[in-house]
Amino acid sequence: MAEDSPKRRKANFNEAETEVLIEQVLKHEQLLFAAGPGRASAGQKRKVWELIRHKVNPVAACPRDVEDLKKRWRDLKRRDRSKLCRLSQGCGPPAPPALGLLLAPEELPPASAPPV
């Protein structure tokens, strides 16, 4: 009977999971996302993602696998990029990418006023 029940979705990422994920991905960013002749092999990247998974799971609401973490990272990047795009179309320059990561629009530093 349990086989007929629909698959339940996992809990949303909590703030602690997201913070650990961002911290670890940024720490290993060069290894995970570098292009060119010095880039890491698929096996090396897999090991780094496993390391990140082992760091995230102790603070996770439910066990996460590597695919969950990769998807969350892509979603965070996409959300950040769209926020920066909206800001750049508004009045004032966009915040630097490092500051814009995971900040709500009201948390971003105010755009500097033009000189008078």
Side-chain angles (χ1 to χ4, degrees):
M1 191 83 176
E3 295 173 31
D4 295 335
S5 65
K7 182 178 177 183
R8 295 186 55 131
R9 68 179 194 86
K10 291 184 178 180
N12 291 341
F13 275 72
N14 62 36
E15 190 174 324
E17 289 173 277
T18 303
E19 286 177 14
V20 172
L21 175 64
I22 292 169
E23 174 188 308
Q24 291 299 312
V25 170
L26 292 177
K27 181 178 176 181
H28 299 287
E29 185 175 25
Q30 185 65 30
L31 187 65
L32 291 171
F33 306 115
R39 70 177 185 224
S41 69
Q44 290 171 318
K45 290 179 184 182
R46 193 176 323 109
K47 286 179 184 176
V48 172
W49 279 110
E50 283 295 327
L51 173 75
I52 293 171
R53 184 178 67 87
H54 286 296
K55 299 272 184 166
V56 170
N57 275 339
V59 297
C62 64
R64 305 291 182 183
D65 57 26
V66 170
E67 289 307 313
D68 295 334
L69 300 177
K70 287 181 178 180
K71 182 180 184 316
R72 178 65 174 163
W73 178 251
R74 283 190 306 267
D75 290 347
L76 289 170
K77 284 193 321 184
R78 181 180 39 81
R79 187 177 77 184
D80 189 49
R81 214 176 289 130
S82 67
K83 281 184 188 179
L84 291 175
C85 182
R86 281 194 307 256
L87 286 173
S88 67
Q89 292 173 356
C91 53
L99 290 177
L101 191 61
L102 290 183
L103 293 180
E106 61 273 6
E107 297 174 323
L108 288 169
S112 58
V116 179

